[in-house]
């Protein structure tokens, strides 16, 4: 059983410790070249299931919990190594100063069919979690969650309800998208997220939500939306870049699995997905991730909306 620290500070301490050993001995002590790793114990294979059962309730209590470490002790009696290294506040958390005050984690759900592509697809759920980036453990400021009444395809398919958990009664009782988005803008304003152009950045699981879903929905008043709805951070792209991986994760479930976090709630329920994505965001922030845009919609000279994913700070 091993304990892996996804932490730049732990990696730096590990490398400093290994520097005292011959290069050929490194893999013996630290077989994982990527994240920081500390071996706790080794359990024989036939006892693995019993060990997992014993650890399950402990893991459930620890996942997502911040544990302050006053120091780290590296010890290897065979090589005469024993060193206690104090950890400062910044080394413990990997916290970095952010350019944005808030991130708004957004995951639209839309009308859908099992074996057909609706044209147009319409947004039927607008969920958002607002996290403040001004502390080491970003607190949840507020949640926004409303269903939306579609107009072009007002009857939900059984497949759509099964996938998203959204019922016909919920969308029938909901407001149209233009009204819901006006409330969404007012909600951001209420918490100071629209005070200036860099107060909030949307975080989405992919580019689609703000690149196409909102832009192509026939029920939204685009002129009423502030500029922040045209800029976002694709969490899959940021996740891969932060971990030094060329391939982006396929989706939210793969990111959770890579972090050792269980998926909670119903996958493809917009609000549950936002809550799970928030756990990924918090884990990356604890590892020293600096939030930055990965995509934006910009108007070309001809007035056609196009996509730019290179420099999103302009």
């Amino acid at each position: 059983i091993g304990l892996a620290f996804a932490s730049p500070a732990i990696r730096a301490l590990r490398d400093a410790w290994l520097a005292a050993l011959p290069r050929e001995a490194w893999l013996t002590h630290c077989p994982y070249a990527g994240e920081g790793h500390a071996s706790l114990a080794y359990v024989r294979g036939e006892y693995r299931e019993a060990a997992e059962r014993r650890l399950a309730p402990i893991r459930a209590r620890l996942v997502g919990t911040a544990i302050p470490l006053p120091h780290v002790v590296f010890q290897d009696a065979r090589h005469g190594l024993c060193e206690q290294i104090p950890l400062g506040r910044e080394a413990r958390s990997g916290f970095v100063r952010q350019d944005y005050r808030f991130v708004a984690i957004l995951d639209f759900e839309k009308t859908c069919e099992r074996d057909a592509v609706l044209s147009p697809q319409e947004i039927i759920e607008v969920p958002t979690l607002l996290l403040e980036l001004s502390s080491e453990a970003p607190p949840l400021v507020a949640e926004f969650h409303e269903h939306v009444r579609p107009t072009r395809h007002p009857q939900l398919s059984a497949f759509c309800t099964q996938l998203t958990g959204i019922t016909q009664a919920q969308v029938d009782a909901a407001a149209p998208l233009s009204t819901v988005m006006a409330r969404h803008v007012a909600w951001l304003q209420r918490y100071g997220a629209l005070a200036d152009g860099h107060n909030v950045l949307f975080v989405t699981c992919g580019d689609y939500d703000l690149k196409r879903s909102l832009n192509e929905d026939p029920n939204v008043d685009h002129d009423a939306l502030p500029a922040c709805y045209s800029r976002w951070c694709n969490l899959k792209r940021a996740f891969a870049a932060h971990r030094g991986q060329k391939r982006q994760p396929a989706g939210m479930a793969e990111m959770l699995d890579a972090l050792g976090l269980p998926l909670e709630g119903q996958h493809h329920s917009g609000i549950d997905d936002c809550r799970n994505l928030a756990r990924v965001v918090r884990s990356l922030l604890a590892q020293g991730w600096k939030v930055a845009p990965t995509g934006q919609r910009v108007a070309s000279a001809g007035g056609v909306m196009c996509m730019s994913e290179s420099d999103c700070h302009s």
Side-chain angles (χ1 to χ4, degrees):
I1 298 173
L3 176 65
F5 294 95
S7 163
I10 294 295
R11 286 200 295 275
L13 292 171
R14 176 206 65 189
D15 292 343
W17 175 58
L18 291 176
L21 300 176
R23 188 80 183 189
E24 59 270 17
W26 281 30
L27 286 178
T28 302
H29 299 276
C30 189
Y32 304 101
E35 306 293 354
H37 178 86
S39 174
L40 296 182
Y42 294 98
V43 178
R44 291 175 58 176
E46 59 264 37
Y47 300 121
R48 180 177 178 86
E49 289 187 7
E52 288 289 349
R53 286 195 300 272
R54 182 70 177 269
L55 287 173
I58 300 173
R59 183 186 295 114
R61 292 197 304 270
L62 291 180
V63 167
T65 302
I67 304 173
L69 300 176
H71 60 264
V72 170
V73 176
F74 290 120
Q75 186 170 4
D76 186 343
R78 288 176 299 173
H79 293 87
L81 294 175
C82 184
E83 185 176 4
Q84 177 172 304
I85 303 176
L87 297 179
R89 178 178 178 181
E90 193 168 40
R92 284 203 303 273
S93 66
F95 177 74
V96 297
R97 187 174 298 279
Q98 301 291 341
D99 294 333
Y100 293 86
R101 182 182 172 191
F102 301 102
V103 289
I105 301 167
L106 173 70
D107 189 67
F108 294 130
E109 297 300 330
K110 303 190 296 181
T111 52
C112 55
E113 294 278 1
R114 182 184 297 276
D115 298 315
V117 178
L118 295 178
S119 181
Q121 282 188 289
E122 297 170 272
I123 294 170
I124 54 174
E125 184 181 7
V126 179
T128 310
L129 268 63
L130 191 65
L131 302 183
E132 187 169 11
L133 300 178
S134 57
S135 65
E136 294 183 9
L140 173 64
V141 177
E143 287 188 3
F144 181 95
H145 185 217
E146 287 200 32
H147 293 104
V148 179
R149 184 173 73 249
T151 62
R152 304 294 180 88
H153 303 282
Q155 190 68 33
L156 299 186
S157 66
F159 170 74
C160 187
T161 294
Q162 180 182 19
L163 180 69
T164 66
I166 301 171
T167 68
Q168 188 65 46
Q170 287 174 319
V171 297
D172 286 346
L177 184 60
S178 57
T179 301
V180 172
M181 292 309 300
R183 293 172 183 164
H184 195 263
V185 172
W187 174 77
L188 290 175
Q189 288 175 326
R190 188 183 317 140
Y191 293 100
L194 300 182
D196 62 54
H198 270 67
N199 245 25
V200 66
L201 179 66
F202 283 102
V203 174
T204 56
C205 191
D207 293 314
Y208 210 84
D209 291 271
L210 292 177
K211 178 183 178 182
R212 295 191 59 182
S213 294
L214 187 62
N215 190 45
E216 296 176 0
D217 196 296
N219 304 304
V220 67
D221 180 3
H222 295 285
D223 293 334
L225 296 178
C228 63
Y229 288 87
S230 296
R231 179 181 286 124
W232 63 91
C233 172
N234 175 346
L235 189 57
K236 295 189 294 184
R237 180 187 294 268
F239 187 92
H242 181 71
R243 295 167 69 90
Q245 300 167 344
K246 293 183 178 180
R247 186 186 71 84
Q248 293 183 35
M252 179 187 73
E254 186 176 334
M255 291 187 285
L256 289 169
D257 186 64
L259 295 169
L261 301 173
L263 192 153
E264 297 178 351
Q266 178 177 344
H267 194 6
H268 299 299
S269 159
I271 190 64
D272 286 346
D273 285 356
C274 283
R275 291 165 181 162
N276 280 304
L277 292 170
R279 295 161 65 218
V280 174
V281 166
R282 285 191 173 109
S283 293
L284 293 184
L285 289 170
Q287 298 169 25
W289 174 49
K290 189 175 180 65
V291 178
T294 62
Q296 66 176 351
R297 289 197 321 274
V298 294
S300 70
V304 178
M305 300 306 290
C306 58
M307 180 66 186
S308 170
E309 293 182 343
S310 52
D311 185 350
C312 301
H313 294 278
S314 58

